[in-house]
Amino acid sequence: MAPTHVLRCCQRGLAWIPVIFIALVVCWSYYAYVVELCIFTIPSFAEQILYLVFFHISFIMFVWSYWMTIFSKPSNPSKEFCLPKVEKERYEKEERPETQQEILWRAAANLPLYTRTGAGAIRYCDRCQVIKPDRCHHCSACDMCVLKMDHHCPWVNNCVGFSNYKFFILFLAYSLVYCLFIAATVLQYFIKFWTNELPDTRAKFHVLFLFFVAAMFCISILSLFSYHLWLVGKNRSTIEAFRAPVFRTGSDKNGFSLGFRKNIAEVFGDQKKYWPLPVFTSQGDGLTFSSRLVNTVDAEQATVNMQPEPSKSTGDVQGLASPLGETENCLLPNDQHSNNTDHLANDTLKSAESETITISMESES
């Protein structure tokens, strides 16, 4: 027990190494830009003030969003998704998967669940012992189920999900702005140092290295930021992009897409004035999500449940399922032509009923 606890503590400590690395790079970039570039290299006082104002705006927004992404606790399923004590004991004692699924189906009868496993079963986490809400997944690094989990990011040492996905997007956006601003303003002095137009000083190393680091991070962040903007527009998580969610009617990668504007509002909220700020404005509670398939599926299930038995009356023939209706439509003209082409509309309906019985007799033989 003790070695396992020590190992987990070591793993948690090592997980902060990427965050510490980013923090050190940011602190050095602040010193290199403010002190070595603006104070010791740029001769114009007006240019110094202009650069410092815009630099500090991007720096504050970048650090703010990065902080919120790191220290926003991932949201977990509520108590209503936990099995009752009696059902939980029965589930743990039961060895047959079929009976375990029956227990889960009864427990999930009143829960707002529309997604299933690949086999059509209830999504249940044995580790956390909860029924997984839609778009919820278990993070092995955080050792918990996370609502609307996107991925676990080592650079923030946190799981990116419902509680901090907006902060993560803003972190990518402001880090890209931060790096672009540094690269654009440092470029002219990078060229001057490179061509020996400026004398070799201590600032030369910082300016040259600052441009390379900013350009390198720009390229890597731009690709990641573009990808997540595409995911926001499609209303998908990274997990759903690689494995489409499974609904009652089957898997559908666009099952949660509500249109471009509504997809953006689900992450950033309705009030656009709060979009640039790293404050939580995402819609919903992370437990239930609107889906374009929900109403369709419910309507289909209602139709199936209320559908009467076929071949009892004229209304039964009209209410047959679509596959039989298509067969009926294909065979009806041939039967009418072979029996009597001069029948009236009422006689045609009767011949359709007799044809349905004939088809059933032939298929049984």
Side-chain angles (χ1 to χ4, degrees):
M1 183 68 65
T4 304
H5 180 71
V6 173
L7 180 61
R8 289 180 180 176
C9 291
C10 293
Q11 289 177 346
R12 292 176 181 177
L14 294 174
W16 285 100
I17 292 179
V19 178
I20 295 174
F21 172 76
I22 294 295
L24 293 176
V25 172
V26 172
C27 291
W28 167 79
S29 67
Y30 183 89
Y31 166 79
Y33 192 90
V34 174
V35 178
E36 299 294 342
L37 178 68
C38 293
I39 296 178
F40 293 149
T41 304
I42 298 178
S44 174
F45 180 75
E47 188 178 359
Q48 289 179 356
I49 297 300
L50 181 64
Y51 283 3
L52 287 174
V53 169
F54 284 100
F55 172 82
H56 280 92
I57 292 175
S58 62
F59 178 79
I60 291 172
M61 298 305 295
F62 162 65
V63 173
W64 185 9
S65 58
Y66 189 46
W67 178 275
M68 295 297 295
T69 307
I70 295 173
F71 294 103
S72 293
K73 185 179 179 180
S75 300
N76 310 119
S78 58
K79 294 182 179 180
E80 62 180 329
F81 289 88
C82 299
L83 288 177
K85 185 177 180 180
V86 177
E87 297 293 337
K88 180 181 176 182
E89 292 177 354
R90 291 184 56 192
Y91 180 87
E92 293 175 350
K93 294 179 180 179
E94 186 59 51
E95 297 180 355
R96 293 175 297 177
E98 297 82 5
T99 308
Q100 288 182 334
Q101 273 299 307
E102 292 179 2
I103 297 173
L104 294 179
W105 278 105
R106 287 196 300 268
N110 297 323
L111 295 178
L113 300 176
Y114 296 98
T115 55
R116 303 287 185 260
T117 64
I122 295 294
R123 300 169 62 244
Y124 181 76
C125 179
D126 292 312
R127 181 75 175 177
C128 299
Q129 297 180 337
V130 295
I131 297 174
K132 295 180 181 179
D134 294 339
R135 314 184 81 175
C136 175
H137 299 275
H138 184 85
C139 178
S140 58
C142 297
D143 195 22
M144 66 177 67
C145 284
V146 179
L147 298 182
K148 196 186 177 183
M149 178 180 174
D150 188 88
H151 69 288
H152 184 88
C153 181
W155 298 108
V156 299
N157 191 28
N158 198 3
C159 202
V160 179
F162 175 76
S163 63
N164 61 351
Y165 189 60
K166 177 192 175 182
F167 306 149
F168 179 75
I169 297 295
L170 292 179
F171 156 64
L172 295 178
Y174 287 124
S175 60
L176 181 61
V177 171
Y178 181 73
C179 293
L180 283 174
F181 178 79
I182 290 177
T185 54
V186 170
L187 179 59
Q188 58 173 325
Y189 297 98
F190 170 83
I191 296 175
K192 292 180 179 179
F193 276 118
W194 192 266
T195 57
N196 296 322
E197 293 185 20
L198 292 175
D200 291 341
T201 60
R202 185 182 61 182
K204 179 178 181 179
F205 165 79
H206 292 282
V207 171
L208 294 178
F209 197 60
L210 186 61
F211 177 80
F212 280 120
V213 172
M216 179 184 65
F217 275 98
C218 276
I219 297 173
S220 59
I221 295 173
L222 179 60
S223 58
L224 185 61
F225 179 61
S226 301
Y227 175 68
H228 278 279
L229 284 182
W230 178 79
L231 290 178
V232 171
K234 295 291 185 179
N235 202 347
R236 300 178 196 169
S237 64
T238 301
I239 296 176
E240 293 166 351
F242 287 95
R243 184 175 67 250
V246 179
F247 295 86
R248 298 171 186 173
T249 55
S251 61
D252 191 335
K253 61 183 180 180
N254 295 318
F256 292 107
S257 180
L258 306 174
F260 183 74
R261 292 184 178 179
K262 291 184 178 180
N263 292 343
I264 295 178
E266 188 168 291
V267 176
F268 290 93
D270 294 324
Q271 299 183 356
K272 295 182 179 180
K273 62 181 180 181
Y274 294 118
W275 285 10
L277 300 177
V279 293
F280 186 82
T281 55
S282 300
Q283 295 179 345
D285 55 2
L287 298 171
T288 58
F289 296 91
S290 301
S291 171
R292 64 183 183 86
L293 299 177
V294 170
N295 295 332
T296 305
V297 171
D298 291 342
E300 290 176 354
Q301 286 191 341
T303 303
V304 173
N305 294 333
M306 298 175 61
Q307 187 177 4
E309 293 294 328
S311 68
K312 287 186 179 180
S313 63
T314 303
D316 296 335
V317 176
Q318 296 175 351
L320 291 175
S322 58
L324 183 58
E326 293 173 358
T327 306
E328 190 178 69
N329 291 335
C330 294
L331 296 178
L332 187 58
N334 294 332
D335 186 68
Q336 286 177 335
H337 180 72
S338 61
N339 290 334
N340 190 358
T341 57
D342 298 329
H343 284 176
L344 297 174
N346 294 332
D347 296 330
T348 301
L349 185 58
K350 294 180 180 179
S351 66
E353 296 177 358
S354 62
E355 182 196 8
T356 305
I357 298 174
T358 304
I359 293 173
S360 303
M361 294 292 291
E362 290 178 355
S363 61
E364 291 177 358
S365 61

